[in-house]
Amino acid sequence: MFDVYVDGATGTLRDSVRELASAMGARYGLPAAELESRLTRGRFRVKAGVDRATAEAYLRDLSAIGARVRIEPAGAPASDRATHSSAPPAEAALTRSRLPPPPRSSVPLQPG
């Protein structure tokens, strides 16, 4: 099982965070203002305890809209995590969150 984290936006400008929050909000039906706040505070978990295929689907979907995404084994201590990332890791406080599944039209998910 794996957890999926967003470390931030791929762009370096403040507008990059705003644009990512807006895209995530539209795609996942969440308030863009709340997502922007979470993104400015640092890394947060968007999905917990999913199979590898589902985690990879989130990585592709979120990366496509400008997120720096990381997949880690579920529940692994920070020192033991084997990371697969779309960008270099960001050092930030972890805030827990869960997103609904990516839209079925953009990412095929396995039942589970």
Side-chain angles (χ1 to χ4, degrees):
M1 300 308 278
F2 297 90
D3 294 341
V4 181
Y5 296 88
V6 170
D7 288 335
T10 55
T12 57
L13 302 175
R14 172 79 175 154
D15 287 343
S16 299
V17 170
R18 187 173 296 118
E19 289 171 9
L20 175 58
S22 178
M24 287 176 72
R27 183 161 294 200
Y28 297 105
L30 299 169
E34 179 182 331
L35 290 166
E36 184 175 353
S37 175
R38 288 176 184 255
L39 286 163
T40 58
R41 288 192 311 255
R43 173 185 157 163
F44 63 100
R45 184 172 61 192
V46 295
K47 200 67 177 167
V50 296
D51 62 42
R52 184 66 182 206
T54 301
E56 290 285 346
Y58 273 94
L59 183 138
R60 286 188 304 273
D61 194 55
L62 290 163
S63 295
I65 61 173
R68 287 183 291 128
V69 184
R70 184 189 303 228
I71 297 171
E72 298 177 355
S79 61
D80 295 340
R81 291 180 181 151
T83 303
H84 178 105
S85 176
S86 64
E91 299 300 325
L94 173 65
T95 305
R96 293 185 181 185
S97 175
R98 294 185 185 225
L99 290 178
R104 292 193 185 271
S105 61
S106 67
V107 178
L109 296 180
Q110 296 180 356

